[in-house]
Structures are given as C-alpha cells and as structure tokens.
Amino acid sequence: MTPNSGIGAHVSTKGGFVQAAKRAHAQGATAFQYFPKNPRSLSLKALDAIDARQCRDYCMEYGLASIAHSPYPTNPALGMSRGEAGYHAVIASIRNDLEIADACGSVGTVVHFGHMKSDDPLVGYQHIIQTLDMVLEQWDGKAKVLLENQAGDHGPMGTTMEEMVQIRKLCSHPEHIAFCFDTCHAFASGMWSEGEEQAMLEKGRKLGYWDALAAVHFNDSKYASGSCKDRHARIGAGRIGSDGMKALLASPEFGKAVVVMETETGKDGTHREDIALMRSWQ
C-alpha cells in the first residue's frame, strides 16, 4: 500500500494554530484539519503571522500535513441570489481562509460545493464557477480550494464526481482547485453501496476525478447508501463498515491524499484509537 500523505482528524485551534498541530501530533496523527476562523460565521480573521509560521515550522519538523475547513455558511452556489453583500462576503471569506491556510503551510481549505433552489439547475453551477473565479483571481499561493462533495441532504447538487470534474474544468484557474472526497457524503448520496467500493473507485479513475484529489474526509456513515443523511459514524462502526473503509484506505488514490476523520472521539476525548486502527490497516 502506498503511504498516505497523512492520517489524522479534525482538531481544535484553541490556543492557536500551532497548538492544533501539537494536539494532532500528541495523538499519533500525521495530518489534521482545523477551522481557520469561527466556523459559524463569514467574518474575516486577521492573520497572526507568528502563530501561522510556528504552525508551519512545527508541521515541517514533525512531518504533519494539514488542511483548513471553511466556515459552514460558505455557499458558492448562491452567487448574488441573496444580494451582492452576501456574494462578496463569501468570496472574501474563502480568500481569507486560503491566506491563513497558505501561511500555516496547509494543502488548502475545504469548501462545500454549495446548493441553491432554482427552476434552472444550471444557475447554481454558474454561480460556483463565478465565485471560484473571483476568489482565485490573482491568487499565487500554494494552498488550494478543496471542493467537497455533498450528501444530498440539501438536494442533488454536488453529489457526483462528474459535477466536480466539470466545474473544475470550467473554472479559469483549475490549477488552484483540488478535491476533498467525503466518504460518508458519497455513500449517503448513493454514489456506491456496501461492497461496491472498487466499482466506485474505477469510475473515478475513468472520470479523472482522483487525478485532482488532495484530501479525504474519512468518515463512516450512520445511515444507508442513498439515505441523503449527513451523519458521520466512527470508522468501521457505520453502514460502510470495516471492510469498505479498509478497501478505500488501501487504494492508491487515497494513498496520495491527506486523510482526516470528522467523527466522534474515543473515550479519552481524542481520535488516538481510530488513528491506530487506520494504521493497522496499512
């Protein structure tokens, strides 16, 4: 099996970004995910250059990879449908996340595909392209927008690999866009069912989806395939199951990605147990 770019989980940034890196390292992780700012707001956060540099240096010293996760209100599919102020707030927020992620030495910032209700479904896709083009205009950092697939709980937008590939292709700066594949979201949306992992992986190869994969949210699903319910379970404890999660982790596509869990912690309040389990599968 190809060694992963990193295995870990989402961690708190209490005390700063370097403290997040130290928390990840303390539980045996070689990767972690963090919120660059308040996850419930699009309000911008001033970059603490010293903290970010300390985080980057610590990660280099201990071999840690990291990804940021943009706030939950980030919805590039809305465009100006809810007003110009909201549109520019999303653009500024994603750019702010990219700048923080870049300063911390992170691979990029995860951005949900987004959703909107419209009589013309193409409108939402046009909004996503326009928003990402504005975000990435004149962006010269190494951190990328990591476009994440969705579970279908807000509708069918963003639930297929075809959409991801096409949106990236149509954007003006595809070199600054990569993918974050959420296993729970993909399973819940009906992208594959139990035991069909290899067929799903092969489909992604044919589409070229995995060529742009940079990160994985490694979450089991509390609900069945096609449920469209975004409810994460600890790895091996959900409907994907241990065999399915093992098959995914063993794939060469996942092997090149930063793999992080967004699941419940163990009894000790950390993901140490699940990280050790994942390592036993390698």
Side-chain angles (χ1 to χ4, degrees):
M1 177 175 163
T2 303
N4 288 76
S5 293
I7 287 177
H10 187 97
V11 295
S12 167
T13 56
K14 183 177 181 180
F17 299 126
V18 68
Q19 293 303 319
K22 291 178 178 180
R23 287 188 186 94
H25 182 61
Q27 55 186 297
T30 51
F32 65 96
Q33 176 179 268
Y34 63 94
F35 288 122
K37 55 179 184 278
N38 183 347
R40 305 291 176 185
S41 170
L42 294 178
S43 297
L44 305 186
K45 180 177 181 176
L47 173 64
D48 184 336
I50 295 176
D51 180 33
R53 185 176 66 252
Q54 289 176 339
C55 176
R56 183 182 67 243
D57 292 347
Y58 186 91
C59 289
M60 290 182 65
E61 181 178 357
Y62 290 98
L64 287 164
S66 67
I67 56 174
H69 194 304
S70 291
Y72 295 121
T74 307
N75 188 348
L78 290 177
M80 290 194 189
S81 64
R82 294 186 181 177
E84 187 172 348
Y87 169 66
H88 287 293
V90 168
I91 292 171
S93 177
I94 299 176
R95 186 62 179 254
N96 183 219
D97 298 335
L98 278 174
E99 290 167 350
I100 292 172
D102 205 51
C104 289
S106 303
V107 172
T109 184
V110 175
V111 175
H112 290 167
F113 192 87
H115 55 87
M116 75 167 298
K117 294 182 179 179
S118 173
D119 293 333
D120 182 0
L122 291 179
V123 172
Y125 298 123
Q126 291 169 345
H127 288 167
I128 294 170
I129 294 168
Q130 182 182 35
T131 299
L132 294 181
D133 281 353
M134 288 292 291
V135 168
L136 296 171
E137 186 178 15
Q138 297 183 337
W139 173 247
D140 59 0
K142 293 182 179 179
K144 297 184 178 184
V145 168
L146 307 177
L147 202 59
E148 180 181 1
N149 59 300
Q150 300 178 152
D153 47 341
H154 295 290
M157 279 191 73
T159 59
T160 69
M161 290 186 279
E162 288 91 340
E163 291 168 281
M164 304 290 158
V165 171
Q166 188 68 2
I167 287 293
R168 181 175 181 270
K169 185 183 299 183
L170 292 173
C171 283
S172 298
H173 307 283
E175 71 278 8
H176 293 308
I177 301 172
F179 300 133
C180 175
F181 183 77
D182 189 302
T183 54
C184 172
H185 293 180
F187 187 78
S189 71
M191 193 180 291
W192 91 95
S193 298
E194 296 95 327
E196 298 176 354
E197 288 77 24
Q198 295 304 325
M200 183 272 292
L201 289 166
E202 182 58 31
K203 179 179 179 180
R205 291 174 191 129
K206 291 179 178 178
L207 291 170
Y209 173 85
W210 306 119
D211 294 340
L213 183 72
V216 172
H217 285 165
F218 200 64
N219 307 312
D220 211 329
S221 174
K222 290 187 176 181
Y223 292 96
S225 172
S227 66
C228 295
K229 292 183 178 181
D230 182 10
R231 296 293 183 272
H232 301 173
R234 289 181 68 179
I235 58 171
R239 299 298 293 270
I240 300 175
S242 294
D243 289 344
M245 300 300 280
K246 284 181 186 179
L248 295 175
L249 191 63
S251 70
E253 288 77 20
F254 278 42
K256 69 176 184 178
V258 176
V259 181
V260 295
M261 291 172 282
E262 300 175 307
T263 55
E264 298 170 3
T265 59
K267 293 181 180 179
D268 67 350
T270 77
H271 288 87
R272 182 186 301 274
E273 183 180 356
D274 287 340
I275 290 170
L277 176 61
M278 290 171 67
R279 296 220 180 282
S280 75
W281 291 349
Q282 292 184 302

